[in-house]
Amino acid sequence: MGFRGTAIWSAVPFQGRGVVIPSPLESVSLSVVIFLVTAAAAPLLKSRQASLINIAFSASAIASVIAAFAGFNAVATGAVETMVLPVGLPDLPFYLRLDATSGFFVTVTAVLVFFVSIYSIGYLKGFIGHPAGLAGQRKVTSLAVFYCLFVAGMLMVVLADDAYFFMISWELMAAASYFLVVFEDENKEARRAAFIYLLIAHVGAILILLSFGVMAGLSGGFENFNGYTFSAMRASHIPGVWKAAAFFLSFFGFAAKAGVVPLHVWLPEAHPVAPTNVSALMSGVMLKVAVYGMVRVSFDLLHVSDWRMGGVVLVMGLVSAVMGILYALMQVDLKRLLAYSSIENVGIILVCLGLAMIFKSFDMTALASLSLVAGLYHITNHAMFKGLLFMGAGAVMHSTHERNMERMGGLIHRMPQTAVFFLVGCLSISALPPFNGFVSEWLLFQAFLLSPSFPTPLLNLIIPLGAALVALTAALSARCFVKVFGVVFLGRWRGQHDTTVNETGLEMRGAMGFAAFACLALGLLPVFFIGWIDAIPRELVGGRVSETASEFGWLWLTPVAAERASYSAPVVFAGILAVVAAAYLLTRIPRAGVRRAPVWDCGFEKITPRMQYNSTSFAMPLRRIFGFLLSVRETVRPSGADPAFPKRLTYRLKIRDRIWHGCYMPVADASFWIARRFGRLQHGRIQIYLLYSFATLILLLVFA
Amino acid sequence: MTGQFYPAIIEGVQVATVLLAAPLLVGWVRALKCWSQGRSTAGLFQPYRDILRLFSKDIVLAENASWVFRAAPYVVFGATLMAGAIIPVISVKAPLAATADVIALVALFAIARFFTALAGMDAGTAFGGMGSSREMMVASLAEPALLMSVFTVSLVTRSTSITEMVRVLSTGPFVLRPSLAFAFLSFAIIAMAETGRVPVDNPSTHLELTMIHEAMILEYSGRHLALMEWAGMMKLFLFSSLAIALFFPWGIAGMGGWLAGTAGLAGLPAAFFFLALKLALAGVAIVFVETGLAKMRIFRVPEFLGTAFILATLGMLSYFMLE
């Protein structure tokens, strides 16, 4: 392959040894090549499933380490590196580019892929090892192949520097993930979910393509192909209306992939049915790749400078955040709950991006970069903790063979280490210090609070309401994850048999441990992280926060100025630990004993595990408060001769997604109706079809 | 004595104040309540005797309790005391105050609540889960309202650092601001809910259907219960102090204002005097509300807290629109 590149970050040869360290872009390309080769080679090991898993996922882990280091370097140096690959159609080469923004997304993707690849080695053995496994014994060849293609597709999307290569990579990512979702294809639910996913993914892809069409046409003219590169789009000045058109087309296209309400309906269907390692990646990074698309198009290619665009992003983000977490609270299926929670987190990320756009359009670069940094921080955090939580959910499902939380409980005794890691994930996602979720939320609140009075009254109304809704979302998500941890890990086992429930293997625990450690590290040392991504706000909005953020050293995070706000996670963490240790030691002095006794049963005997609060009852108060936003149908039917003393009570609860039934079903019904009407034209007789052709010709002749 | 140890001494004095004065405030509120209802009191110092007694008692753990149940009292105590080190109770010169601003402070209370709720679910009883579910319902409505209320103050003072907020409010010119009035009303409602007072929760009830906080800690005993109770008392103390700091900051030491203006240790006696005065008045206000109102039905609480949320949002809107 001939590289015709203009590498700014030049390769540094080792003196005297003749070894050349590849530049970041070359390293990421190498990692993509490893993924593609692994995908191609995996079917050769079809007959030896165990070694297939070991080799394919070890190769993915190695490739992701390479990509992670390269991406990390690219962000740290802030250099821009480009490459042209003369493959593809004649006169349409692939343009590749690695700048700080794409380097950031490469790093986040690669780090989570590394964790999940290690996890997969342990997780997939469940598919082949035990005949009574989650889905019985089955081959995982297709899973390995599409897993590698999926990751390669995501990395390629981030590297792409022209619309053509971008769309090809985008489709590779979408198609590969379709095959991953439909992996358990004997399951009707999986086939249906995958179909909806593919449908919405393609509606989104069409919108993105149209947006690129608008930008390419206006930047290079319609006569040649020069406009299709991102550098041409970046350089061109697109007039206002077309800019808005391109922005909204691309925004809704990417929003369909990112699961923004109301385009989210595929997400809670597809994530639960996919194998859990795949759900972790889809939720943790695929949604972020869609966010990358938004960032790239709106900040870099279009230079969005109208607050109304940011306002739309902000409002859509708020709606997604609140609706996502409310639906998450109502779920009893663990993976479905996590999927809805991803919608919430994407909403929060959009709130950050929307704020950044608003600030940027009023030329407040410091605030814009603060919001952007908050968004990027949350992207990283969500990848880490949602990956961790999905891996934990997979571990739970792996050993309980159960997805329904109502039949779990008390797993902390059976799976102590998984419980610790899962608890870290719950604390992080609930935005509690000193874990990572809190830092990004704190930065977002700072951005909200620093916002001055805007000249437009509408913004002055939206910004306080936005802060209120983000606060509500955070509190609801803490509630949601108290429920998850309490119902799944605490209390007593609610299911039938728990004799087979055991701690998971070393690979799975190791991967969760890495992710949990990442959550803590990102929470404790935010200053390093903000310093690392410094080049991105400079590149996209022309401001930076790292100077002021690290003014007082690594211990103190001061995003604007010390008297405005400061936060020191290490001191808070150490302070709490010190008090806990002191209290623990001091309270032992009276030497009181500890003994175990049955729980207080109010004088009744036989307290059973079924009497515990479960997921549905835990969510009941919120079902009553926010029921008007959801579509809740609750019926209690007593049966027996005397209704006053019923023998049995039948309780039915149905919570449906309003948007699915309000927006999507009518469209689906209408298209079926139209299809049936058109079906009348078909009779299966050649004469009638010839007659149609004849009539068409006559019509054309008459009107032409 | 050189001044370099002043901050550390002040921090130590403040933490000790929070630890030791919190039971006294609870004793004061209980005594006032007894007087107002014509009962005889157990004395101002009964809470101290309760805590001491619990520390020397054996612990009885539920059969099913895991390490979360055993760790929760320490975490709750630690997070609450950490909050006590941050709020400027007597002086703004406390060095730990810079480690967390008001958003982190709310999050510290959230940690305590998170672990209390988990502990409630750990024993595997209906009560614990019920308490956790209700507590998290109250919290999920009260916490955003609390944030909105303090955000209004921080918009006015252009800072989220509590010491800076206190400094700006108490040294700046006195201005009557509608936004702060809304924020205070909302804060008062939330503080009643967050500290588990009537009309949201009743701290002295053990009737199954009305408990919220008590239901969660029903399985606790011995020193675990002592820590939980002590943390609860500190929470009441801290919410009162936070209200004082945000809305009536005059008299807190170390700001250079006309009251208690001397730097260093000399301002502390006056600061203590003002703190005691204001807390005593806060206790009177609490008792006034608690004896005047009946406890609400649990599903009226969302409306009550919704009012607080709307008031706080109104405060913020009025800042953006009027000020």
Side-chain angles (χ1 to χ4, degrees), chain A residues 660-679:
Chain A
W660 175 251
H661 290 273
C663 306
Y664 287 80
M665 287 314 281
V667 174
D669 289 345
S671 52
F672 279 124
W673 186 81
I674 293 169
R676 271 198 301 279
R677 290 289 166 281
F678 273 103

Side-chain angles (χ1 to χ4, degrees), chain A residues 479 491 563-564 566 568 593 595, chain B residues 59 61 64 98-99 137 159-160:
Chain A
R479 183 193 164 94
E563 67 273 8
R564 282 290 322 211
S566 58
S568 170
R595 63 190 169 88
Chain B
I59 290 176
L61 284 176
N64 192 52
T99 58
M137 174 197 82
S159 174
T160 58

Side-chain angles (χ1 to χ4, degrees), chain A residues 499-585:
Chain A
T499 47
T500 56
V501 178
N502 280 313
E503 185 62 279
T504 51
L506 185 65
E507 297 97 345
M508 291 163 78
R509 274 179 289 146
M512 288 189 278
F514 281 137
F517 179 75
C519 286
L520 185 61
L522 280 169
L524 282 181
L525 302 168
V527 177
F528 288 123
F529 184 85
I530 291 173
W532 173 58
I533 61 170
D534 191 35
I536 303 173
R538 213 170 46 211
E539 203 172 85
L540 295 180
V541 295
R544 53 192 300 203
V545 280
S546 71
E547 258 172 18
T548 46
S550 58
E551 200 180 337
F552 294 86
W554 61 274
L555 207 51
W556 303 91
L557 178 63
T558 47
V560 188
E563 67 273 8
R564 282 290 322 211
S566 58
Y567 167 58
S568 170
V571 177
V572 171
F573 187 49
I576 294 178
L577 277 189
V579 178
V580 168
Y584 183 75
L585 293 175

Side-chain angles (χ1 to χ4, degrees), chain A residues 631-702:
Chain A
S631 149
V632 181
R633 199 178 300 158
E634 200 172 8
T635 49
V636 182
R637 214 182 52 229
S639 66
D642 187 356
F645 299 98
K647 284 218 176 73
R648 292 178 74 84
L649 278 176
T650 318
Y651 175 77
R652 267 218 185 96
L653 175 69
K654 202 165 189 183
I655 295 164
R656 300 193 303 184
D657 203 326
R658 278 219 159 152
I659 290 160
W660 175 251
H661 290 273
C663 306
Y664 287 80
M665 287 314 281
V667 174
D669 289 345
S671 52
F672 279 124
W673 186 81
I674 293 169
R676 271 198 301 279
R677 290 289 166 281
F678 273 103
R680 287 192 184 171
L681 294 176
Q682 295 173 329
H683 294 274
R685 286 170 61 186
I686 188 87
Q687 292 94 327
I688 291 181
Y689 292 125
L690 285 175
L691 188 67
Y692 291 153
S693 316
F694 183 67
T696 315
L697 271 177
I698 296 288
L699 275 176
L700 286 176
L701 282 173
V702 169

